[in-house]
Structures are given as C-alpha cells and as structure tokens.
C-alpha cells in the first residue's frame, strides 16, 4: 500500500479507502473463483494494482472520457483505473462470466458508479471509446483486429485515441508492423524489480468511417 501512496500522493480519502479495500475483497473472491494466481494474491498491490496504474503514468483520463478494458479478468487494469479516475466511464469485458461476476461484485462493494462490466467479446462491442486498455491478453496484431473501429474520432487527450496495453519482455518482433507505437518503460516510474521489463505500449488507432 505504501508504494501506491508514494507514487500517487494526491489521492482523496475516498480513493485511499477504496484502494485499501482491494486486498480483502480479492482475497475473499479469489477463494471462491480463482481470478488471481495464488502466489500473486499476497503481492496484489504491486503486481496488479500498481501495475494497472502504470497506465495513469502515461495518460491522465479526462472527465467524461470512456475507456474499455478488454479481457479484464478480475478487473485489471480497469478497477484501479476507475478508482483513480472517478469521472471517467469504464467498460470492463471478459469472455468468462465468473470473472465478470467478481468485477461486478468488487465494483459494487467499492461504490464505483463509473464501472460497467459484461461478459462479452471485444469484436461484438458496438460502442466507441477514447481509449482501449488491456493487460497482455494476446499478441498485439490479434488485439488490434479485435478492437479496430472501436475508437472515437475526436480526441480530448494529449495523445490521440487508441490502445494503452500493459505488456512485458522484448516486443520488437510483435510490434514490428506497427510504426506508430510508443513504449513507456514502467521501470522509469516504479522501483520494484517486478517492473524491470514491464511496459505500457501506446498505439494510436485511426477512426474507421
């Protein structure tokens, strides 16, 4: 928890309370539905919460913006981001219904009115969003196919609308076909060795007419 406060010192008391509840909520739900690996549940705040908030070091979502989290699992990165940006609307989707149930229950317990969750494939989503976020659910070429055509035309942020993707390792080959990607090393923001090879991959997507 101290790491979260250090890197995000301007949190409100309500945001701090919401973040503080995550350990108990996920420990309880993980005992019923395995959404986080057993070894990771004890490192929840570093490996899941802080990792998710790495996106916030790259992009500060504006009030009224909309963000879709594809393959959210138990709610990462969507839930921590929704806590950090209460005036941004988040749509969390996953193909596994049990995981979406956990997301819905956690969001309700935290009082997050800016989170909507559904069992859904990205290809079947009809809405458009300012940004699409995810945490290494597949390779980037396939991910782009899933979400192409789902970004809004006009950007209200410093970066053009597109994808903000959490991934680690050497991405040279995977991203070779995408000339406009920008990589942000999370080790530049967070000291824990977990982040040594972790990145936020930003890829602007053209609006499809």
């Amino acid at each position: 928890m101290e790491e979260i406060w250090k890197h995000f010192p301007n949190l409100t008391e309500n945001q701090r309370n919401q973040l503080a509840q995550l350990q108990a909520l996920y420990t309880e739900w993980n005992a019923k539905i395995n959404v986080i690996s057993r070894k990771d549940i004890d490192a929840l705040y570093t490996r899941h919460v802080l990792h998710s908030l790495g996106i916030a070091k790259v992009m500060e979502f504006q009030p009224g913006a909309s963000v879709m989290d594809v393959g959210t699992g138990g709610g990462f990165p969507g839930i921590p981001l929704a806590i950090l940006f209460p005036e941004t609307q988040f749509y969390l989707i996953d193909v596994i219904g049990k995981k979406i149930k956990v997301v819905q229950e956690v969001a309700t317990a935290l009082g997050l009115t800016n989170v909507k969750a559904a069992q859904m494939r990205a290809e079947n989503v009809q809405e458009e969003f300012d940004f699409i976020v995810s945490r290494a659910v597949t390779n980037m070429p396939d991910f782009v196919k899933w979400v192409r055509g789902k970004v809004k035309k006009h950007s209200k942020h410093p970066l053009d609308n597109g994808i903000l993707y959490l991934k680690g390792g050497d991405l040279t080959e995977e991203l070779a076909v995408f000339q406009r990607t920008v990589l942000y090393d999370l080790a530049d923001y967070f000291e824990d060795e977990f982040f040594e090879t972790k990145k936020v991959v930003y890829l602007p997507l053209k609006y499809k007419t």
Side-chain angles (χ1 to χ4, degrees):
M1 289 289 291
E2 309 317 342
E3 218 174 344
I4 306 286
W5 310 152
K6 182 172 74 172
H7 292 291
F8 296 93
N10 298 322
L11 295 169
T12 65
E13 185 177 352
N14 185 53
Q15 287 171 318
R16 283 175 174 252
N17 288 337
Q18 288 172 324
L19 288 165
Q21 292 177 62
L22 291 178
Q23 184 74 58
L25 283 168
Y26 279 106
T27 300
E28 178 186 347
W29 276 104
N30 216 49
K32 304 172 189 174
I33 300 167
N34 190 21
V35 291
I36 295 170
S37 72
R38 303 296 184 199
K39 66 176 173 27
D40 273 6
I41 195 71
D42 292 334
L44 179 78
Y45 284 103
T46 299
R47 298 191 173 192
H48 295 278
V49 180
L50 194 59
H51 189 206
S52 297
L53 294 178
I55 287 173
K57 291 296 186 182
V58 173
M59 170 57 61
E60 185 170 337
F61 297 119
Q62 297 299 305
S66 59
V67 178
M68 179 167 66
D69 177 6
V70 175
T72 189
F76 300 99
I79 292 285
L81 290 172
I83 292 172
L84 200 65
F85 300 106
E87 295 181 41
T88 298
Q89 299 302 309
F90 288 86
Y91 185 39
L92 280 56
I93 64 169
D94 201 283
V95 296
I96 300 173
K98 289 188 299 183
K99 293 184 177 181
I100 289 300
K101 176 178 173 55
V102 173
V103 171
Q104 291 168 333
E105 294 289 346
V106 169
T108 298
L110 296 174
L112 291 175
T113 58
N114 60 332
V115 170
K116 182 174 74 166
Q119 182 180 5
M120 174 83 73
R121 290 189 179 277
E123 301 96 316
N124 297 331
V125 173
Q126 299 303 310
E127 297 110 296
E128 293 173 352
F129 303 87
D130 294 285
F131 284 94
I132 296 163
V133 301
S134 189
R135 200 161 68 139
V137 291
T138 188
N139 63 76
M140 187 61 89
D142 284 342
F143 190 76
V144 169
K145 288 176 189 173
W146 294 356
V147 303
R148 192 177 290 284
K150 302 187 192 305
V151 295
K152 293 180 179 178
K153 185 173 185 178
H154 299 292
S155 177
K156 58 179 76 171
H157 295 83
L159 298 178
D160 289 339
N161 295 345
I163 293 169
L164 291 164
Y165 202 66
L166 291 163
K167 200 154 189 189
D170 185 354
L171 304 175
T172 309
E173 187 175 338
E174 181 176 332
L175 299 177
V177 297
F178 302 109
Q179 299 301 313
R180 298 181 68 198
T181 52
V182 181
L183 301 182
Y184 299 87
D185 291 317
L186 288 180
D188 291 342
Y189 307 103
F190 308 138
E191 300 85 8
D192 194 284
E193 63 180 17
F194 172 76
F195 298 105
E196 281 182 6
T197 64
K198 301 290 190 295
K199 299 173 178 65
V200 176
V201 181
Y202 164 60
L203 175 61
L205 287 183
K206 287 184 178 177
Y207 174 82
K208 275 196 165 184
T209 54

